[in-house]
């Protein structure tokens, strides 16, 4: 199935994990450390052992809504249009929008819209930061085509991000809550790649 189809069919927890994984991979653009979103991952894992709704939590376990607010308080900076028109500046703005749009209430409707937006934003971020010749010419229409399954002539960074998004949703569809650990591992791998890309681009500007 295409990425669009996987998101359309995903359940609430898979949608939350998909959006969170996209956001987690983009943490280097948010100025946070690698563990900043750990409480949100823990919230998903805990709810997997209990309530499916995610609206509440078992005693002592982290609540999704509270964790969203804590992460937003630490990292969220509202975008200022035109503040930085560079590829890096646009990528940072997209990452902050992902965090700013994270729903405090874990409902399938809220999460599907967020997961879909995060998927698009994460692919756009990787397109913007890909140093491959011609990658910068790919626009939003190209990102839409990639998500629908038209993957020919993709730039390497975008192709890797698309594979991770698909793999995470497939893992969660096949294994449910048990797939969360592997989903997080895939996201961690992607975050390391993006952090290296951001660092390399910063050195190139120095």
């Amino acid at each position: 199935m295409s990425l669009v189809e996987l998101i359309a069919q995903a359940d609430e927890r898979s949608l939350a994990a998909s959006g969170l994984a996209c956001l987690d991979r983009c943490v280097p653009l948010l100025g946070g450390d690698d563990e900043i979103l750990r409480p949100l991952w823990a919230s998903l894992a805990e709810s997997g052992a209990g309530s499916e709704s995610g609206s509440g939590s078992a005693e002592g376990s982290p609540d999704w809504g509270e964790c969203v607010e804590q992460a937003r308080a630490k990292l969220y900076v509202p975008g200022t249009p035109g503040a930085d028109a560079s590829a890096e500046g646009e990528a940072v703005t997209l990452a902050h929008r992902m965090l700013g749009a994270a729903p405090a209430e874990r409902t399938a409707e809220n999460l599907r819209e967020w997961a879909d937006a995060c998927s698009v934003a994460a692919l756009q971020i990787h397109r913007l930061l890909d140093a491959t010749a011609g990658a910068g010419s790919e626009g939003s229409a190209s990102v839409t085509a990639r998500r629908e399954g038209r993957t020919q002539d993709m730039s390497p960074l975008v192709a890797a991000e698309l594979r991770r998004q698909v793999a995470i949703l497939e893992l969660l569809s096949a294994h449910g809550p048990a797939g969360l650990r592997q989903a997080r591992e895939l996201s961690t791998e992607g975050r390391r790649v993006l952090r290296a890309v951001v660092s390399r681009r910063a050195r190139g500007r120095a």
Side-chain angles (χ1 to χ4, degrees), residues 69-141:
E69 292 306 319
Q70 289 169 6
R72 198 145 40 210
K74 293 175 182 176
L75 296 173
Y76 181 52
V77 178
T80 304
D84 186 348
S86 68
E88 289 83 357
E90 188 176 345
V92 168
T93 297
L94 286 169
H96 279 115
R97 284 178 185 167
M98 273 196 276
L99 178 58
E105 185 178 359
R106 272 182 55 192
T107 66
E109 182 179 1
N110 290 342
L111 290 167
R112 200 175 312 280
E113 181 179 355
W114 181 59
D116 194 64
C118 287
S119 168
V120 172
L123 287 166
Q124 288 178 333
I125 285 168
H126 285 74
R127 173 185 60 80
L128 286 163
L129 299 181
D130 197 325
T132 303
S137 65
E138 295 187 7
S140 58

Side-chain angles (χ1 to χ4, degrees), residues 13-195:
R13 186 181 297 104
S14 298
L15 292 167
S18 176
L20 177 57
C22 288
L23 182 62
D24 200 3
R25 288 191 293 280
C26 295
V27 158
L29 297 167
L30 295 169
D33 62 50
D34 287 349
E35 299 299 316
I36 195 75
L37 298 180
R38 177 186 283 271
L40 280 162
W41 285 107
S43 173
L44 289 182
E46 289 294 331
S47 68
S51 169
E52 287 287 327
S53 69
S55 58
S57 58
E59 186 176 354
S61 67
D63 176 79
W64 169 269
E66 291 176 3
C67 292
V68 166
E69 292 306 319
Q70 289 169 6
R72 198 145 40 210
K74 293 175 182 176
L75 296 173
Y76 181 52
V77 178
T80 304
D84 186 348
S86 68
E88 289 83 357
E90 188 176 345
V92 168
T93 297
L94 286 169
H96 279 115
R97 284 178 185 167
M98 273 196 276
L99 178 58
E105 185 178 359
R106 272 182 55 192
T107 66
E109 182 179 1
N110 290 342
L111 290 167
R112 200 175 312 280
E113 181 179 355
W114 181 59
D116 194 64
C118 287
S119 168
V120 172
L123 287 166
Q124 288 178 333
I125 285 168
H126 285 74
R127 173 185 60 80
L128 286 163
L129 299 181
D130 197 325
T132 303
S137 65
E138 295 187 7
S140 58
S142 178
V143 168
T144 299
R146 304 319 189 192
R147 297 175 73 246
E148 292 174 348
R150 299 192 292 278
T151 59
Q152 64 275 13
D153 301 322
M154 292 179 69
S155 60
L157 201 63
V158 176
E161 170 60 16
L162 181 65
R163 285 195 298 270
R164 288 188 191 95
Q165 290 191 24
V166 169
I168 284 171
L169 284 164
E170 288 178 341
L171 271 171
L172 294 166
S173 175
H175 303 292
L180 281 170
R181 182 180 61 81
Q182 288 174 281
R184 190 179 179 199
E185 288 174 354
L186 279 173
S187 187
T188 297
E189 173 194 341
R191 185 175 64 242
R192 289 171 180 158
V193 169
L194 193 64
R195 192 178 294 282

